[in-house]
Amino acid sequence: MIDRAEVIVTSPNRNFVTLKITTADGVTGLGDATLNGRELAVAAYLSEHVVPLLVGRDASRIEDAWQFLYRSSYWRRGPVTMAAIAAVDMALWDIKGKVAGMPVYQLLGGASRTGLMAYGHASGKELPELFDSIRHHQELGYKSIRVQTGVPGLKSI
């Protein structure tokens, strides 16, 4: 059962909203509710409307919680509501993974690939510096390199 839920607003300019759900057994789950530019709206919605509805609910019934929050909302489900519901969903999956002793991606079907392509970011103020940066990224094994340079002769762009 969900014992409590805490809304945490962090970062210098209120950039992150985190929901921390704790079960009666002391297992915690974290969910991200960040909505850039509307952090305090989501934090208030979570604190005033969602958290009171969560306490006492079965933390293992993730789909039930999602449907309850999505379908029973008096207000239209816009970005604030959906960010809040997403945070609950993530936190409950985090709890389920901890209880099961496995990462959430394993609960959801396991890995779907063994790796992915990444790119390096080569840059330089002048062309010789840029070419050195490109060669360095090639030596590191990058097959894709994003190239960015200043305009030769200009102090800034």
Side-chain angles (χ1 to χ4, degrees):
M1 289 292 170
I2 297 173
D3 184 55
R4 64 187 177 280
E6 176 185 2
V7 179
I8 305 162
V9 180
T10 62
S11 198
N13 293 314
R14 300 185 326 257
N15 289 331
F16 302 106
V17 179
T18 303
L19 177 66
K20 181 180 180 181
I21 296 177
T22 305
T23 67
D25 298 331
V27 182
T28 61
L30 299 175
D32 177 47
T34 301
L35 180 59
N36 290 332
R38 299 292 182 264
E39 298 89 356
L40 295 181
V42 178
Y45 187 80
L46 280 166
S47 297
E48 296 171 18
H49 302 289
V50 175
V51 167
L53 298 172
L54 293 176
V55 176
R57 292 185 71 86
D58 185 343
S60 69
R61 297 186 60 181
I62 299 170
E63 180 65 18
D64 181 59
W66 193 95
Q67 293 292 337
F68 174 73
L69 294 171
Y70 183 80
R71 296 190 185 283
S72 67
S73 178
Y74 176 78
W75 298 277
R76 193 171 140 229
R77 288 164 296 282
V80 171
T81 300
M82 294 311 294
I85 292 172
V88 173
D89 200 47
M90 283 183 257
L92 294 179
W93 276 107
D94 190 23
I95 289 169
K96 187 167 285 250
K98 289 174 180 174
V99 169
M102 58 184 8
V104 172
Y105 78 88
Q106 287 290 6
L107 292 174
L108 300 175
S112 62
R113 60 183 62 89
T114 57
L116 57 98
M117 182 178 258
Y119 69 87
H121 187 136
S123 61
K125 292 180 183 177
E126 300 286 337
L127 291 177
E129 182 182 1
L130 174 64
F131 294 144
D132 287 343
S133 183
I134 292 169
R135 280 189 287 278
H136 174 71
H137 282 82
Q138 287 172 325
E139 291 167 3
L140 291 174
Y142 285 100
K143 295 179 181 175
S144 296
I145 302 169
R146 179 174 184 237
V147 177
Q148 179 176 324
T149 185
V151 177
L154 291 180
K155 293 181 183 178
S156 65
I157 55 171

